[in-house]
Amino acid sequence: MNLSFFDQFSSPSLLGIPLILIAMTFPALLLPSLDNRWITNRLSTLQLWFINLITKQLMIPLNKKGHKWALVLTSLMVFLLLINLLGLLPYTFTPTTQLSMNLALAFPLWLATLLTGLRNQPSASLGHLLPEGTPTPLIPALILIETTSLLIRPVALGVRLTANLTAGHLLIQLISTATTALFSTMPAVSLLTLLVLFLLTILEVAVAMIQAYVFVLLLSLYLQENI
């Protein structure tokens, strides 16, 4: 019984062909397509307003040099947000519950920010590994600690996103299973667990949005350190 709870996190396949790529590209169908008209329908206007709001929020911690990354960061934010929210629908698969995918997103972008800093300001980037005024006996230990904390950043990004979404999906499945099992024997308790399930679903919608924002915001902060 316990093993079946984790079946929802296994990558779906059809005739031996993994369907995770379809799950990853499906959110692109929800985005507005390019149009020559200035005024389109209300849905496109709302989507463009929301994307503009996201871009402004992500560009707040960055200076003008970091605004070149606006398209990358905004696209990543919208991509993660749509995948997380669509994954809350019944009988769907959430690609961001896969640690391999999250690490594949986090590591190249973190490496790009690191290489940007080493190319533009190598002295300042390497200076982060050794705080100013460090006593001489502590220099080797601090360099080792700062290097470890630097290298663990992409792992922390991927694990944080995976753990939060996985925990939320497991809680929803556990409570929904309890609601169904108690409906025939204890209807009152079943209704109470149904209310808890409804509140938890609202919470998971908020978590899906917050985790997508935190993922991209931390990347923007890493970028700011290197520019």
Side-chain angles (χ1 to χ4, degrees):
M1 184 63 180
N2 294 333
L3 293 177
S4 63
F5 288 146
F6 294 91
D7 290 342
Q8 60 176 321
F9 304 116
S10 60
S11 179
S13 60
L14 179 63
L15 299 177
I17 302 175
L19 302 179
I20 187 172
L21 293 179
I22 298 178
M24 292 172 58
T25 55
F26 181 76
L29 300 176
L30 303 178
L31 298 177
S33 58
L34 296 178
D35 200 332
N36 294 328
R37 294 177 297 178
W38 284 9
I39 300 178
T40 56
N41 54 33
R42 294 180 179 178
L43 179 59
S44 298
T45 304
L46 181 62
Q47 288 176 332
L48 292 176
W49 171 83
F50 186 67
I51 292 175
N52 187 30
L53 178 64
I54 291 175
T55 305
K56 287 182 179 180
Q57 292 296 323
L58 293 178
M59 293 299 106
I60 288 177
L62 297 177
N63 54 25
K64 291 185 177 180
K65 293 182 180 179
H67 291 180
K68 300 176 182 178
W69 289 65
L71 180 60
V72 176
L73 295 178
T74 304
S75 301
L76 180 63
M77 174 69 184
V78 174
F79 174 73
L80 291 176
L81 183 61
L82 290 177
I83 283 184
N84 292 349
L85 292 178
L86 289 175
L88 293 174
L89 297 175
Y91 303 104
T92 56
F93 172 70
T94 311
T96 44
T97 56
Q98 305 294 312
L99 182 60
S100 57
M101 174 186 165
N102 295 334
L103 290 179
L105 288 174
F107 185 77
L109 292 172
W110 166 81
L111 185 61
T113 61
L114 184 62
L115 294 178
T116 300
L118 292 176
R119 184 188 65 178
N120 295 335
Q121 45 180 13
S123 299
S125 297
L126 294 176
H128 289 301
L129 301 179
L130 185 63
E132 186 177 358
T134 303
T136 303
L138 297 179
I139 289 179
L142 277 180
I143 291 178
L144 183 61
I145 293 173
E146 292 296 329
T147 303
T148 304
S149 65
L150 179 64
L151 296 177
I152 208 172
R153 283 180 174 180
V155 180
L157 281 176
V159 171
R160 181 187 296 107
L161 182 59
T162 304
N164 281 281
L165 295 180
T166 303
H169 283 67
L170 282 176
L171 280 176
I172 289 177
Q173 185 169 2
L174 286 170
I175 296 179
S176 60
T177 304
T179 302
T180 306
L182 294 174
F183 183 75
S184 58
T185 56
M186 292 181 287
V189 179
S190 178
L191 291 176
L192 180 61
T193 55
L194 183 61
L195 177 61
V196 174
L197 178 62
F198 177 73
L199 296 177
L200 180 62
T201 303
I202 297 177
L203 177 63
E204 284 306 311
V205 171
V207 168
M209 300 173 67
I210 292 172
Q211 289 304 317
Y213 177 70
V214 168
F215 188 92
V216 183
L217 180 63
L218 288 176
L219 279 176
S220 64
L221 293 178
Y222 298 158
L223 177 63
Q224 178 60 28
E225 289 183 0
N226 290 283
I227 57 176

